[in-house]
Amino acid sequence: SKRVVDHIVVPVLETAGFVYDVVPTLYRGFATEHVLQMTIAEWDGIIVCGGDGMVSEVVTGLMTRPGLPVDFPMGIVPVGTANAMANYLDKESSTSNTMLMGHAALTVAYGHTRKVDVIEVKWPGGAKYGLSCIGWGLAGAVGLQADKMRWVPGQKQARYDIAGLVTFIKDWPVVCRGELQYVKETTLPTGQKTTEWKSMPIAAINLIASNLPKLGVDHPIHPEITGEDGRVVIAVFDETVTRAQTVSAGMGMKKGKYLAMNKHSNNVFTSEFKIIPQLGAKNSDVPYNFDGDPIDARPIHVKVLKQRLKVFYNV
């Protein structure tokens, strides 16, 4: 991150004549603490140079601090693994990570902004905010294994693939049981829209809820989801899905096939949902994976805050 800031971000900011301050993070959660303490009125925006987890930390700080101006913009210069929202805002115009970083820095100088959805995850006594996805089952188990590999030199881009292989060999099957509650929206013949809560038991080999059509370059989820439409698609692979079928779905994503279009995926489109894990069940301690960072398994309430955050983007 420091090299990217020094060699890409700072030259762009200086050429554009911006006054800026560079704040290195010191530990996990530092970015949230800093955003909560900074004097927002002194600045016209903020740039995050990091991965999806770092973006989540900054968004959490912005969403939880009192008096945040509605139009306070955020730039994302991606140096992570998936870089989900950064790739979405770039409209896949970059052919390399270096080009993506350069485009992201230039968007701040150009000043073009748009509003995107924010995913809010709450539990008793806590909350986090992010911009791309939350997963459980394999997504949580693989995410936890990948998190342990975060500081292994040379493994940044491949760590999820390696973590997935380790999990498949060591931990299969990872079946997470509980209840999924979600808001179902229905449009009546009159055009009026109604909502009601629905409930379904889950025994998930894998569960991914995303508000983006793709999580990075090679992880397509569903073509009909956008980062501004106020909803997520929840793709659930249940315990009847075999290891071979799960691997096939994952390899299909590498070839451009959308995960939620797989015949084994049970899909729910919603703007709000809850997951209540079955306490005491096997794998009940598998964490959620929220934008690349683990969250302990517990009852959670997830909402999509429609177009809640202003961001710089590539026109």
PDB file of all heavy atoms in Angstrom, residues 80-106:
ATOM      1  N   GLY A  80      -5.906  -4.884  -2.850  1.00  0.00           N
ATOM      2  CA  GLY A  80      -6.281  -6.130  -2.201  1.00  0.00           C
ATOM      3  C   GLY A  80      -6.348  -7.297  -3.162  1.00  0.00           C
ATOM      4  O   GLY A  80      -5.718  -7.298  -4.227  1.00  0.00           O
ATOM      5  N   THR A  81      -7.152  -8.290  -2.796  1.00  0.00           N
ATOM      6  CA  THR A  81      -7.271  -9.515  -3.584  1.00  0.00           C
ATOM      7  C   THR A  81      -8.418  -9.420  -4.583  1.00  0.00           C
ATOM      8  O   THR A  81      -8.215  -9.514  -5.791  1.00  0.00           O
ATOM      9  CB  THR A  81      -7.469 -10.731  -2.667  1.00  0.00           C
ATOM     10  OG1 THR A  81      -6.415 -10.787  -1.705  1.00  0.00           O
ATOM     11  CG2 THR A  81      -7.464 -12.021  -3.469  1.00  0.00           C
ATOM     12  N   ALA A  82      -9.645  -9.227  -4.093  1.00  0.00           N
ATOM     13  CA  ALA A  82     -10.803  -9.153  -4.991  1.00  0.00           C
ATOM     14  C   ALA A  82     -11.026  -7.742  -5.532  1.00  0.00           C
ATOM     15  O   ALA A  82     -11.326  -7.549  -6.697  1.00  0.00           O
ATOM     16  CB  ALA A  82     -12.053  -9.641  -4.271  1.00  0.00           C
ATOM     17  N   ASN A  83     -10.891  -6.739  -4.646  1.00  0.00           N
ATOM     18  CA  ASN A  83     -11.106  -5.336  -5.044  1.00  0.00           C
ATOM     19  C   ASN A  83     -12.468  -5.184  -5.730  1.00  0.00           C
ATOM     20  O   ASN A  83     -12.585  -4.633  -6.833  1.00  0.00           O
ATOM     21  CB  ASN A  83      -9.981  -4.871  -5.974  1.00  0.00           C
ATOM     22  CG  ASN A  83      -8.613  -5.010  -5.352  1.00  0.00           C
ATOM     23  OD1 ASN A  83      -8.399  -4.652  -4.195  1.00  0.00           O
ATOM     24  ND2 ASN A  83      -7.673  -5.566  -6.103  1.00  0.00           N
ATOM     25  N   ALA A  84     -13.500  -5.679  -5.065  1.00  0.00           N
ATOM     26  CA  ALA A  84     -14.810  -5.829  -5.693  1.00  0.00           C
ATOM     27  C   ALA A  84     -15.410  -4.505  -6.163  1.00  0.00           C
ATOM     28  O   ALA A  84     -15.737  -4.343  -7.340  1.00  0.00           O
ATOM     29  CB  ALA A  84     -15.762  -6.537  -4.721  1.00  0.00           C
ATOM     30  N   MET A  85     -15.586  -3.561  -5.244  1.00  0.00           N
ATOM     31  CA  MET A  85     -16.212  -2.295  -5.627  1.00  0.00           C
ATOM     32  C   MET A  85     -15.311  -1.497  -6.557  1.00  0.00           C
ATOM     33  O   MET A  85     -15.800  -0.829  -7.482  1.00  0.00           O
ATOM     34  CB  MET A  85     -16.564  -1.475  -4.381  1.00  0.00           C
ATOM     35  CG  MET A  85     -17.231  -0.126  -4.692  1.00  0.00           C
ATOM     36  SD  MET A  85     -18.761  -0.240  -5.680  1.00  0.00           S
ATOM     37  CE  MET A  85     -19.957  -0.784  -4.445  1.00  0.00           C
ATOM     38  N   ALA A  86     -14.010  -1.563  -6.364  1.00  0.00           N
ATOM     39  CA  ALA A  86     -13.091  -0.821  -7.234  1.00  0.00           C
ATOM     40  C   ALA A  86     -13.203  -1.296  -8.677  1.00  0.00           C
ATOM     41  O   ALA A  86     -13.241  -0.484  -9.613  1.00  0.00           O
ATOM     42  CB  ALA A  86     -11.660  -0.981  -6.735  1.00  0.00           C
ATOM     43  N   ASN A  87     -13.274  -2.608  -8.884  1.00  0.00           N
ATOM     44  CA  ASN A  87     -13.448  -3.131 -10.237  1.00  0.00           C
ATOM     45  C   ASN A  87     -14.803  -2.741 -10.809  1.00  0.00           C
ATOM     46  O   ASN A  87     -14.920  -2.433 -11.997  1.00  0.00           O
ATOM     47  CB  ASN A  87     -13.300  -4.657 -10.236  1.00  0.00           C
ATOM     48  CG  ASN A  87     -11.857  -5.103 -10.359  1.00  0.00           C
ATOM     49  OD1 ASN A  87     -11.256  -5.023 -11.421  1.00  0.00           O
ATOM     50  ND2 ASN A  87     -11.299  -5.565  -9.245  1.00  0.00           N
ATOM     51  N   TYR A  88     -15.834  -2.743  -9.971  1.00  0.00           N
ATOM     52  CA  TYR A  88     -17.173  -2.358 -10.419  1.00  0.00           C
ATOM     53  C   TYR A  88     -17.183  -0.903 -10.887  1.00  0.00           C
ATOM     54  O   TYR A  88     -17.740  -0.577 -11.945  1.00  0.00           O
ATOM     55  CB  TYR A  88     -18.169  -2.570  -9.290  1.00  0.00           C
ATOM     56  CG  TYR A  88     -19.585  -2.169  -9.619  1.00  0.00           C
ATOM     57  CD1 TYR A  88     -20.370  -2.943 -10.463  1.00  0.00           C
ATOM     58  CD2 TYR A  88     -20.157  -1.020  -9.064  1.00  0.00           C
ATOM     59  CE1 TYR A  88     -21.673  -2.583 -10.760  1.00  0.00           C
ATOM     60  CE2 TYR A  88     -21.452  -0.656  -9.354  1.00  0.00           C
ATOM     61  CZ  TYR A  88     -22.213  -1.440 -10.195  1.00  0.00           C
ATOM     62  OH  TYR A  88     -23.512  -1.080 -10.501  1.00  0.00           O
ATOM     63  N   LEU A  89     -16.549  -0.019 -10.118  1.00  0.00           N
ATOM     64  CA  LEU A  89     -16.527   1.405 -10.462  1.00  0.00           C
ATOM     65  C   LEU A  89     -15.647   1.681 -11.677  1.00  0.00           C
ATOM     66  O   LEU A  89     -15.833   2.669 -12.375  1.00  0.00           O
ATOM     67  CB  LEU A  89     -16.036   2.221  -9.267  1.00  0.00           C
ATOM     68  CG  LEU A  89     -16.938   2.200  -8.027  1.00  0.00           C
ATOM     69  CD1 LEU A  89     -16.252   2.898  -6.859  1.00  0.00           C
ATOM     70  CD2 LEU A  89     -18.276   2.842  -8.329  1.00  0.00           C
ATOM     71  N   ASP A  90     -14.691   0.795 -11.932  1.00  0.00           N
ATOM     72  CA  ASP A  90     -13.800   0.941 -13.086  1.00  0.00           C
ATOM     73  C   ASP A  90     -14.448   0.454 -14.373  1.00  0.00           C
ATOM     74  O   ASP A  90     -13.930   0.677 -15.466  1.00  0.00           O
ATOM     75  CB  ASP A  90     -12.502   0.163 -12.832  1.00  0.00           C
ATOM     76  CG  ASP A  90     -11.450   0.414 -13.890  1.00  0.00           C
ATOM     77  OD1 ASP A  90     -11.068   1.573 -14.075  1.00  0.00           O
ATOM     78  OD2 ASP A  90     -11.028  -0.565 -14.544  1.00  0.00           O
ATOM     79  N   LYS A  91     -15.575  -0.225 -14.252  1.00  0.00           N
ATOM     80  CA  LYS A  91     -16.310  -0.767 -15.404  1.00  0.00           C
ATOM     81  C   LYS A  91     -15.450  -1.732 -16.226  1.00  0.00           C
ATOM     82  O   LYS A  91     -15.599  -1.842 -17.442  1.00  0.00           O
ATOM     83  CB  LYS A  91     -16.812   0.368 -16.310  1.00  0.00           C
ATOM     84  CG  LYS A  91     -17.758   1.329 -15.617  1.00  0.00           C
ATOM     85  CD  LYS A  91     -18.213   2.425 -16.576  1.00  0.00           C
ATOM     86  CE  LYS A  91     -19.151   3.398 -15.889  1.00  0.00           C
ATOM     87  NZ  LYS A  91     -19.576   4.488 -16.790  1.00  0.00           N
ATOM     88  N   GLU A  92     -14.535  -2.429 -15.526  1.00  0.00           N
ATOM     89  CA  GLU A  92     -13.677  -3.442 -16.156  1.00  0.00           C
ATOM     90  C   GLU A  92     -12.872  -2.874 -17.321  1.00  0.00           C
ATOM     91  O   GLU A  92     -12.570  -3.567 -18.294  1.00  0.00           O
ATOM     92  CB  GLU A  92     -14.502  -4.646 -16.616  1.00  0.00           C
ATOM     93  CG  GLU A  92     -15.226  -5.351 -15.479  1.00  0.00           C
ATOM     94  CD  GLU A  92     -15.941  -6.611 -15.938  1.00  0.00           C
ATOM     95  OE1 GLU A  92     -15.591  -7.168 -16.986  1.00  0.00           O
ATOM     96  OE2 GLU A  92     -16.862  -7.035 -15.235  1.00  0.00           O
ATOM     97  N   SER A  93     -12.506  -1.584 -17.237  1.00  0.00           N
ATOM     98  CA  SER A  93     -11.735  -0.972 -18.316  1.00  0.00           C
ATOM     99  C   SER A  93     -10.235  -1.216 -18.171  1.00  0.00           C
ATOM    100  O   SER A  93      -9.475  -0.959 -19.107  1.00  0.00           O
ATOM    101  CB  SER A  93     -11.997   0.541 -18.352  1.00  0.00           C
ATOM    102  OG  SER A  93     -11.523   1.175 -17.179  1.00  0.00           O
ATOM    103  N   SER A  94      -9.796  -1.709 -16.991  1.00  0.00           N
ATOM    104  CA  SER A  94      -8.372  -1.937 -16.757  1.00  0.00           C
ATOM    105  C   SER A  94      -7.972  -3.358 -17.139  1.00  0.00           C
ATOM    106  O   SER A  94      -8.737  -4.308 -16.941  1.00  0.00           O
ATOM    107  CB  SER A  94      -8.034  -1.694 -15.280  1.00  0.00           C
ATOM    108  OG  SER A  94      -8.302  -0.361 -14.911  1.00  0.00           O
ATOM    109  N   THR A  95      -6.771  -3.502 -17.667  1.00  0.00           N
ATOM    110  CA  THR A  95      -6.268  -4.818 -18.060  1.00  0.00           C
ATOM    111  C   THR A  95      -5.210  -5.347 -17.101  1.00  0.00           C
ATOM    112  O   THR A  95      -4.677  -6.433 -17.292  1.00  0.00           O
ATOM    113  CB  THR A  95      -5.669  -4.763 -19.476  1.00  0.00           C
ATOM    114  OG1 THR A  95      -4.646  -3.753 -19.512  1.00  0.00           O
ATOM    115  CG2 THR A  95      -6.742  -4.421 -20.502  1.00  0.00           C
ATOM    116  N   SER A  96      -4.905  -4.582 -16.044  1.00  0.00           N
ATOM    117  CA  SER A  96      -3.950  -5.025 -15.031  1.00  0.00           C
ATOM    118  C   SER A  96      -4.271  -4.326 -13.717  1.00  0.00           C
ATOM    119  O   SER A  96      -4.975  -3.303 -13.694  1.00  0.00           O
ATOM    120  CB  SER A  96      -2.508  -4.699 -15.448  1.00  0.00           C
ATOM    121  OG  SER A  96      -2.294  -3.289 -15.433  1.00  0.00           O
ATOM    122  N   ASN A  97      -3.736  -4.871 -12.613  1.00  0.00           N
ATOM    123  CA  ASN A  97      -3.945  -4.248 -11.312  1.00  0.00           C
ATOM    124  C   ASN A  97      -3.318  -2.854 -11.258  1.00  0.00           C
ATOM    125  O   ASN A  97      -3.879  -1.930 -10.656  1.00  0.00           O
ATOM    126  CB  ASN A  97      -3.359  -5.133 -10.208  1.00  0.00           C
ATOM    127  CG  ASN A  97      -4.200  -6.357  -9.933  1.00  0.00           C
ATOM    128  OD1 ASN A  97      -5.405  -6.364 -10.198  1.00  0.00           O
ATOM    129  ND2 ASN A  97      -3.579  -7.394  -9.418  1.00  0.00           N
ATOM    130  N   THR A  98      -2.157  -2.703 -11.881  1.00  0.00           N
ATOM    131  CA  THR A  98      -1.502  -1.393 -11.880  1.00  0.00           C
ATOM    132  C   THR A  98      -2.348  -0.356 -12.605  1.00  0.00           C
ATOM    133  O   THR A  98      -2.497   0.783 -12.145  1.00  0.00           O
ATOM    134  CB  THR A  98      -0.118  -1.492 -12.538  1.00  0.00           C
ATOM    135  OG1 THR A  98       0.680  -2.452 -11.833  1.00  0.00           O
ATOM    136  CG2 THR A  98       0.589  -0.144 -12.516  1.00  0.00           C
ATOM    137  N   MET A  99      -2.940  -0.748 -13.730  1.00  0.00           N
ATOM    138  CA  MET A  99      -3.811   0.168 -14.464  1.00  0.00           C
ATOM    139  C   MET A  99      -5.047   0.511 -13.638  1.00  0.00           C
ATOM    140  O   MET A  99      -5.494   1.674 -13.617  1.00  0.00           O
ATOM    141  CB  MET A  99      -4.227  -0.452 -15.802  1.00  0.00           C
ATOM    142  CG  MET A  99      -5.060   0.491 -16.675  1.00  0.00           C
ATOM    143  SD  MET A  99      -5.549  -0.259 -18.245  1.00  0.00           S
ATOM    144  CE  MET A  99      -3.946  -0.385 -19.043  1.00  0.00           C
ATOM    145  N   LEU A 100      -5.593  -0.494 -12.936  1.00  0.00           N
ATOM    146  CA  LEU A 100      -6.761  -0.264 -12.080  1.00  0.00           C
ATOM    147  C   LEU A 100      -6.438   0.760 -10.996  1.00  0.00           C
ATOM    148  O   LEU A 100      -7.233   1.666 -10.723  1.00  0.00           O
ATOM    149  CB  LEU A 100      -7.217  -1.585 -11.459  1.00  0.00           C
ATOM    150  CG  LEU A 100      -8.381  -1.524 -10.469  1.00  0.00           C
ATOM    151  CD1 LEU A 100      -9.643  -1.007 -11.149  1.00  0.00           C
ATOM    152  CD2 LEU A 100      -8.638  -2.902  -9.853  1.00  0.00           C
ATOM    153  N   MET A 101      -5.267   0.635 -10.377  1.00  0.00           N
ATOM    154  CA  MET A 101      -4.859   1.590  -9.347  1.00  0.00           C
ATOM    155  C   MET A 101      -4.722   2.991  -9.928  1.00  0.00           C
ATOM    156  O   MET A 101      -5.163   3.979  -9.325  1.00  0.00           O
ATOM    157  CB  MET A 101      -3.528   1.152  -8.731  1.00  0.00           C
ATOM    158  CG  MET A 101      -3.556  -0.153  -7.988  1.00  0.00           C
ATOM    159  SD  MET A 101      -1.866  -0.659  -7.515  1.00  0.00           S
ATOM    160  CE  MET A 101      -2.136  -2.387  -7.109  1.00  0.00           C
ATOM    161  N   GLY A 102      -4.103   3.091 -11.105  1.00  0.00           N
ATOM    162  CA  GLY A 102      -3.940   4.393 -11.734  1.00  0.00           C
ATOM    163  C   GLY A 102      -5.266   5.034 -12.098  1.00  0.00           C
ATOM    164  O   GLY A 102      -5.478   6.228 -11.848  1.00  0.00           O
ATOM    165  N   HIS A 103      -6.166   4.243 -12.680  1.00  0.00           N
ATOM    166  CA  HIS A 103      -7.498   4.764 -13.001  1.00  0.00           C
ATOM    167  C   HIS A 103      -8.200   5.261 -11.741  1.00  0.00           C
ATOM    168  O   HIS A 103      -8.848   6.310 -11.743  1.00  0.00           O
ATOM    169  CB  HIS A 103      -8.340   3.666 -13.657  1.00  0.00           C
ATOM    170  CG  HIS A 103      -8.015   3.438 -15.089  1.00  0.00           C
ATOM    171  ND1 HIS A 103      -8.556   2.419 -15.830  1.00  0.00           N
ATOM    172  CD2 HIS A 103      -7.193   4.104 -15.947  1.00  0.00           C
ATOM    173  CE1 HIS A 103      -8.095   2.454 -17.063  1.00  0.00           C
ATOM    174  NE2 HIS A 103      -7.263   3.472 -17.162  1.00  0.00           N
ATOM    175  N   ALA A 104      -8.088   4.467 -10.648  1.00  0.00           N
ATOM    176  CA  ALA A 104      -8.771   4.823  -9.402  1.00  0.00           C
ATOM    177  C   ALA A 104      -8.252   6.144  -8.844  1.00  0.00           C
ATOM    178  O   ALA A 104      -9.032   6.977  -8.358  1.00  0.00           O
ATOM    179  CB  ALA A 104      -8.595   3.700  -8.385  1.00  0.00           C
ATOM    180  N   ALA A 105      -6.935   6.340  -8.899  1.00  0.00           N
ATOM    181  CA  ALA A 105      -6.369   7.604  -8.411  1.00  0.00           C
ATOM    182  C   ALA A 105      -6.814   8.772  -9.280  1.00  0.00           C
ATOM    183  O   ALA A 105      -7.148   9.859  -8.777  1.00  0.00           O
ATOM    184  CB  ALA A 105      -4.842   7.505  -8.377  1.00  0.00           C
ATOM    185  N   LEU A 106      -6.854   8.575 -10.583  1.00  0.00           N
ATOM    186  CA  LEU A 106      -7.242   9.650 -11.502  1.00  0.00           C
ATOM    187  C   LEU A 106      -8.714  10.039 -11.329  1.00  0.00           C
ATOM    188  O   LEU A 106      -9.077  11.200 -11.562  1.00  0.00           O
ATOM    189  CB  LEU A 106      -6.975   9.227 -12.944  1.00  0.00           C
ATOM    190  CG  LEU A 106      -5.504   9.204 -13.371  1.00  0.00           C
ATOM    191  CD1 LEU A 106      -5.357   8.551 -14.740  1.00  0.00           C
ATOM    192  CD2 LEU A 106      -4.926  10.617 -13.383  1.00  0.00           C
TER     193      LEU A 106
END
